[in-house]
Amino acid sequence: MTDADVKLREQAERRVEAKRSVVSHLMVFVIVNAGLFAIDWWTGGGINWAFWPLLGWGIGLASHMASVWMALSGSHEAAVEREMERLRRQRR
């Protein structure tokens, strides 16, 4: 394997792990929140408290998804390249 192949494989592994982390996060989110809503319903559900953890965690999940999407879309890599170029120019 050449150095380019090794780097490409490392990049591919990071991308696959990022995708898996989002899927895992989403699965846990759905299972736990379904359980919380079931508990809320079984205990009378008068105040519907299960919406609050759903809202807070949903914001966190959306942030996680957005950060992974940005990284996988290439915008992160492009920003890193621009910053590296800016730093190179400053050194001269």
Side-chain angles (χ1 to χ4, degrees):
M1 261 184 153
T2 66
D3 282 346
D5 289 338
V6 170
K7 287 181 181 180
L8 189 61
R9 179 169 178 82
E10 289 171 355
Q11 182 182 12
E13 287 176 354
R14 283 192 306 271
R15 291 171 64 103
V16 167
E17 184 56 36
K19 289 176 184 180
R20 284 186 177 170
S21 72
V22 168
V23 171
S24 175
H25 192 172
L26 180 61
M27 289 173 50
V28 171
F29 173 81
V30 169
I31 292 167
V32 169
N33 280 290
L36 291 176
F37 273 92
I39 291 169
D40 191 20
W41 181 73
W42 283 325
T43 59
I47 55 175
N48 295 323
W49 54 266
F51 283 105
W52 297 109
L54 177 86
L55 178 65
W57 195 350
I59 292 169
L61 177 60
S63 298
H64 184 188
M65 292 173 127
S67 69
V68 168
W69 176 78
M70 287 173 57
L72 297 181
S73 71
S75 62
H76 175 75
E77 193 63 33
V80 168
E81 290 295 326
R82 284 192 305 272
E83 187 63 21
M84 287 173 60
E85 184 59 34
R86 187 183 68 78
L87 291 171
R88 284 185 193 113
R89 284 193 309 268
Q90 283 181 350
R91 279 191 193 160
R92 295 180 199 162

